[in-house]
Structure formats: structure tokens, C-alpha cells
């Protein structure tokens, strides 16, 4: 009586094989498809998966030492004051009118910018519980921020430099 209610193991294995056949040819493609999200039409240049992770790593390291401006209002204010940095914009913002002016301000201020796939991941990398639409990563700490050790600072600036050069070469 106990086995009547359960699905036989043979059927369960057949169900498991169906998705694995799709994955067998291209494991990487399937993994990328699950991580990528729909982004708005203006999200260019958009970071690929590997570059996306590097960007979020830099954002996380900068936010630990208060080297970020979070949100559209703070980023626009900083860009108008000619604060230099790296602007990271989420590509899945709705409505897109909220962030359409940010890339223009970045170009006028000669600040490199790039889109990432998810506002949730950007917010998490910036160590906030809320999704964040855009962030400006600064090279130096703001007032009240603790300074990085020399090793961390050297590593951060190296990663930051690589990201900026890759963005500038992709344009």
C-alpha cells in the first residue's frame, strides 16, 4: 500500500535525464542562461558573466571602506560635482526613465560606466538589503570611511584599473 502512492524510481530517473540531456552539450551556456536576466534596451555596454563578477567584487570591496555613492540621487549629485569614479548601473530597472540620464552625465563628466544584469546583486554587493539602481565607485574613501591597508588598496586599485581599461576599450 505504501508503494502505490509513490512514483516508481524508473519514472523519477527518466525525469532527471531529460534536463541533463539538454545540459550535456553545453553546460556553460545553460548556466549563463539561468544567471542572465532581461535587461532594458539601453543597457549598453552590458557586462558579461565573468566581467560582471569582477565588477561586483570591486563594488563590494569599495563599499566596505565607504568608497561608493549609492542610488540615482547621490550618483547624479556626485557627477555634477565632477567626482571621478566608476559608475555601475543596473540593467533591469523599470521604468528605465529613472536612469536614462545617468549615462549622459557620465559621458559629459568623462566617467566610465557599465551596466550589470541585476539591481538585487548590485545592492547586495554594495552591502545593502535594498536593490540599488546605480552606484559610483570612488578611488578614495569618503569622510568617515576607514582606509584600506596597503595590500588591499593596491589590489583594489589594480582591479579597478583593469575594469576601467576594459570598459574604455570596449567602447
Amino acid at each position: 500500500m505504501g508503494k502505490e502512492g509513490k512514483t516508481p524510481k524508473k519514472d523519477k530517473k527518466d525525469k532527471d535525464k531529460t534536463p541533463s540531456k539538454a545540459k550535456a552539450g553545453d553546460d556553460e551556456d545553460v548556466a549563463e542562461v539561468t544567471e542572465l536576466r532581461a535587461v532594458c534596451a539601453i543597457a549598453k555596454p552590458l557586462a558579461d558573466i565573468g566581467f560582471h563578477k569582477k565588477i561586483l567584487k570591486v563594488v563590494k570591496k569599495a563599499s566596505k571602506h565607504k568608497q561608493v555613492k549609492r542610488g540615482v540621487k547621490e550618483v547624479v549629485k556626485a557627477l555634477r560635482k565632477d567626482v571621478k569614479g566608476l559608475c555601475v548601473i543596473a540593467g533591469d530597472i523599470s521604468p528605465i526613465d529613472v536612469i536614462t540620464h545617468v549615462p549622459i552625465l557620465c559621458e559629459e563628466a568623462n566617467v566610465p560606466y557599465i551596466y550589470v544584469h541585476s539591481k538585487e546583486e548590485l545592492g547586495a554587493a554594495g552591502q545593502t538589503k535594498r536593490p540599488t539602481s546605480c552606484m559610483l565607485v570612488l578611488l578614495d574613501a569618503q569622510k568617515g570611511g576607514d582606509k584600506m591597508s596597503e595590500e588591499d588598496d593596491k589590489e583594489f586599485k589594480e582591479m579597478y584599473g583593469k575594469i576601467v581599461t576594459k570598459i574604455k576599450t570596449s567602447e
Side-chain angles (χ1 to χ4, degrees):
M1 187 170 189
K3 290 186 177 183
E4 291 175 12
K6 293 184 178 180
T7 308
K9 288 185 178 181
K10 185 177 181 182
D11 291 338
K12 192 172 183 180
K13 286 181 183 177
D14 290 340
K15 287 181 184 178
D16 290 341
K17 284 184 180 178
T18 307
S20 66
K21 285 181 184 176
K23 290 180 184 178
D26 298 319
D27 286 337
E28 294 175 14
D29 292 340
V30 174
E32 286 181 20
V33 171
T34 57
E35 289 185 32
L36 297 179
R37 297 178 182 214
V39 293
C40 59
I42 65 165
K44 290 181 178 85
L46 181 66
D48 60 347
I49 294 297
F51 194 45
H52 175 87
K53 289 179 182 178
K54 288 179 184 177
I55 292 168
L56 293 180
K57 190 174 180 181
V58 166
V59 169
K60 188 171 187 173
K61 189 165 245 184
S63 65
K64 283 182 183 177
H65 299 283
K66 296 186 180 179
Q67 292 180 227
V68 293
K69 299 280 187 182
R70 293 180 181 90
V72 176
K73 191 173 180 180
E74 282 187 40
V75 169
V76 168
K77 190 175 180 181
L79 289 172
R80 290 203 172 132
K81 289 183 178 181
D82 285 331
V83 175
K84 299 297 179 192
L86 167 67
C87 190
V88 183
I89 307 168
D92 62 344
I93 301 298
S94 177
I96 60 172
D97 297 338
V98 174
I99 57 164
T100 51
H101 62 289
V102 175
I104 297 166
L105 290 172
C106 289
E107 288 175 1
E108 288 174 355
N110 201 21
V111 172
Y113 67 93
I114 190 148
Y115 286 87
V116 292
H117 298 279
S118 170
K119 60 186 175 185
E120 288 82 11
E121 290 177 359
L122 184 59
Q127 297 184 339
T128 60
K129 293 178 183 176
R130 302 276 304 156
T132 305
S133 56
C134 62
M135 286 189 170
L136 185 67
V137 179
L138 309 171
L139 270 174
D140 300 318
Q142 299 174 356
K143 290 181 182 176
D146 54 335
K147 292 190 175 184
M148 292 186 196
S149 66
E150 288 184 28
E151 291 178 17
D152 286 344
D153 190 45
K154 185 178 178 183
E155 181 184 351
F156 171 75
K157 287 187 178 180
E158 183 181 321
M159 289 169 43
Y160 179 90
K162 285 181 182 178
I163 288 171
V164 170
T165 53
K166 187 168 182 180
I167 292 170
K168 286 185 178 181
T169 56
S170 67
E171 291 177 348

